[in-house]
Amino acid sequence: MQRKWKKATSATVAGAIIAAQALMQVSAAGGTINAEMSTKSPILRVQVPTKMAVAVNEFEMGDTGSQVSSDKFDMKNLSEIPVNVKVTSTAELGANVALVSTREAAQSSTDTAKPAMWLAAVAAVNNTPEYATGTDKTIGGVTGSEDNATAFGAKDTNNKSKAVQSFYLQAATAAQYKAAIGDATGDIGAGADFYALTEISGLTDAASATAAAADKDIYVIKDGTAPSGTTAVAIAKIDAGATVGAGDWTDNTSKAYSVAAAPTAFATVAADSSGIYLYVDSATTATGDAASFRYAGALSTAKSGWSSTDDLKGIEIKYDITGISATAYGDVEDDLTYGFKAENSALTLENGVLTAKIAVADFASGSLKIGDTTAELGSKAGAWGTTDDGDVTFTFNATWADAMKGKTCIATINLKDGSTLTATFDVPN
């Protein structure tokens, strides 16, 4: 019995000791670490034409349905991420040409002093391409009132007018890269990002290349052949933290490069005959990665002999490419028609009511031009108000509403920040 008591006591004591140890706070050696920080910079390229032809085509020769003929401006995203492409077209017009917002308004105009032109940038609704969704899907089926037809707005004091379109293109996949010097970049154009490459010295084998890629992306030319003249060479991306294997590297032959943190302006790249630059050469097609538009127009029969010398003198195309996140692309994806996103007009004029989609607090002043007469929007013309959504409205009185019928009207809203909203309306009878 005593032996059993001692054994039980020993077990009890041992259990108490273990429990006490479990409750005791134990200090261990401490320390700090610094996280290795880096910025992931996607490489962008949207494949676009390097030139575009536009013609004044009064007799619709070879382009039935439009009296302004043009090539297609095709866009295809080869970037590592989705992009927004903002296209600003600036047309230079004759001093006497009056721009109207629809095909019918141009065709029915009888004004000989200021002949009417409808000029629009029309986004394709699919890649066939088709430009309209009715029975006639050709450019001839576009009236100008469709969401995908962006009419050129009022002319400025230099007789120039702009049309602004916005396209959203999905990211491509499996991007392939090339390295080139400036002489080889001419046909690629400014639609691509070009990143300066700097050779990483002292790399002799895959292990040393792996060490170089520990905290940054590197780019490897496996056979070591550097680009020269107009010859670009293939170059492979090794993601930061990846292992460089035998399939990526040839000992004592391969060359590896680090990439600049920001792209170099295309004009600088094109003029550089010695620096080496990285760009996306090709990628795998992805749904939603392409878009297209062309110009269209209608000319008043009150004038004959429309020309590119006196009437439509030129169109300049400027495109701004901005990378966006996958989430941002998802937010607009349902609103796209073959990559094109119709923007709600900031100004609308319907049934004698002008609506400005701005905050009441931002409004400074406004005016309306009917024909050659411009008047400030004040109590003699109507009354200001707001919609349920808070947009600013101006309801014209019966006299003004009648005066607008059958006329081309230009509304202007001035904001307190100094900016201006303007829109041209062809008011029906």
Side-chain angles (χ1 to χ4, degrees), residues 100-195:
V100 294
S101 59
T102 64
R103 180 191 297 272
E104 193 279 331
Q107 293 173 335
S108 63
S109 174
T110 58
D111 191 337
T112 56
K114 293 188 174 181
M117 172 190 292
W118 168 62
L119 179 64
V122 184
V125 298
N126 58 38
N127 63 355
T128 305
E130 295 174 349
Y131 297 96
T133 57
T135 303
D136 183 357
K137 301 182 184 302
T138 69
I139 201 65
V142 178
T143 68
S145 61
E146 298 87 353
D147 286 343
N148 63 307
T150 304
F152 282 73
K155 294 189 296 181
D156 62 18
T157 55
N158 295 314
N159 291 306
K160 292 185 177 181
S161 172
K162 292 183 179 181
V164 181
Q165 301 165 287
S166 192
F167 298 88
Y168 291 82
L169 309 179
Q170 178 62 287
T173 60
Q176 303 293 311
Y177 307 91
K178 281 193 174 179
I181 63 175
D183 295 345
T185 62
D187 291 336
I188 303 164
D193 272 353
F194 293 91
Y195 284 82

Side-chain angles (χ1 to χ4, degrees), residues 346-386:
L347 294 178
T348 58
L349 178 61
E350 294 181 317
N351 301 320
V353 179
L354 175 68
T355 301
K357 295 185 179 300
I358 61 173
V360 175
D362 294 334
F363 172 79
S365 62
S367 64
L368 183 75
K369 182 179 180 182
I370 305 176
D372 294 326
T373 302
T374 301
E376 293 301 314
L377 300 181
S379 58
K380 292 183 179 180
W384 288 105
T386 58

Side-chain angles (χ1 to χ4, degrees), residues 57-77:
N57 187 7
E58 184 176 355
F59 304 104
E60 302 180 13
M61 298 173 64
D63 193 20
T64 302
S66 182
Q67 292 175 294
V68 173
S69 295
S70 85
D71 296 335
K72 288 194 293 107
F73 189 93
D74 290 316
M75 292 164 270
K76 185 174 179 62
N77 189 21

Side-chain angles (χ1 to χ4, degrees), residues 21-326:
Q21 288 176 338
L23 292 173
M24 290 175 62
Q25 293 184 347
V26 179
S27 297
T32 60
I33 62 170
N34 291 318
E36 292 183 354
M37 302 299 296
S38 64
T39 300
K40 295 290 286 184
S41 299
I43 297 175
L44 307 184
R45 181 183 177 186
V46 176
Q47 197 169 42
V48 298
T50 55
K51 61 182 180 179
M52 189 169 182
V54 180
V56 179
N57 187 7
E58 184 176 355
F59 304 104
E60 302 180 13
M61 298 173 64
D63 193 20
T64 302
S66 182
Q67 292 175 294
V68 173
S69 295
S70 85
D71 296 335
K72 288 194 293 107
F73 189 93
D74 290 316
M75 292 164 270
K76 185 174 179 62
N77 189 21
L78 304 179
S79 307
E80 299 175 325
I81 61 171
V83 297
N84 168 225
V85 184
K86 178 182 177 182
V87 181
T88 302
S89 301
T90 303
E92 182 179 0
L93 300 128
N96 294 326
V97 173
L99 285 173
V100 294
S101 59
T102 64
R103 180 191 297 272
E104 193 279 331
Q107 293 173 335
S108 63
S109 174
T110 58
D111 191 337
T112 56
K114 293 188 174 181
M117 172 190 292
W118 168 62
L119 179 64
V122 184
V125 298
N126 58 38
N127 63 355
T128 305
E130 295 174 349
Y131 297 96
T133 57
T135 303
D136 183 357
K137 301 182 184 302
T138 69
I139 201 65
V142 178
T143 68
S145 61
E146 298 87 353
D147 286 343
N148 63 307
T150 304
F152 282 73
K155 294 189 296 181
D156 62 18
T157 55
N158 295 314
N159 291 306
K160 292 185 177 181
S161 172
K162 292 183 179 181
V164 181
Q165 301 165 287
S166 192
F167 298 88
Y168 291 82
L169 309 179
Q170 178 62 287
T173 60
Q176 303 293 311
Y177 307 91
K178 281 193 174 179
I181 63 175
D183 295 345
T185 62
D187 291 336
I188 303 164
D193 272 353
F194 293 91
Y195 284 82
L197 292 170
T198 301
E199 186 173 355
I200 304 171
S201 61
L203 305 186
T204 58
D205 53 22
S208 58
T210 297
D215 59 354
K216 63 180 178 295
D217 297 339
I218 67 170
Y219 293 82
V220 173
I221 301 176
K222 187 177 180 182
D223 66 3
T225 303
S228 62
T230 58
T231 302
V233 299
I235 186 167
K237 179 181 182 179
I238 306 297
D239 290 320
T243 298
V244 179
D248 306 309
W249 187 269
T250 300
D251 289 350
N252 300 311
T253 299
S254 296
K255 292 182 179 180
Y257 299 81
S258 59
V259 67
T264 302
F266 174 66
T268 302
V269 173
D272 188 351
S273 59
S274 58
I276 301 176
Y277 297 91
L278 172 80
Y279 66 94
V280 175
D281 177 58
S282 62
T284 301
T285 298
T287 301
D289 66 357
S292 176
F293 76 90
R294 59 157 288 174
Y295 299 111
L299 309 172
S300 169
T301 56
K303 171 186 170 66
S304 61
W306 289 86
S307 74
S308 60
T309 302
D310 300 320
D311 303 306
L312 177 56
K313 299 179 180 182
I315 298 179
E316 176 190 82
I317 304 172
K318 179 178 182 291
Y319 51 95
D320 297 303
I321 301 169
T322 305
I324 60 175
S325 68

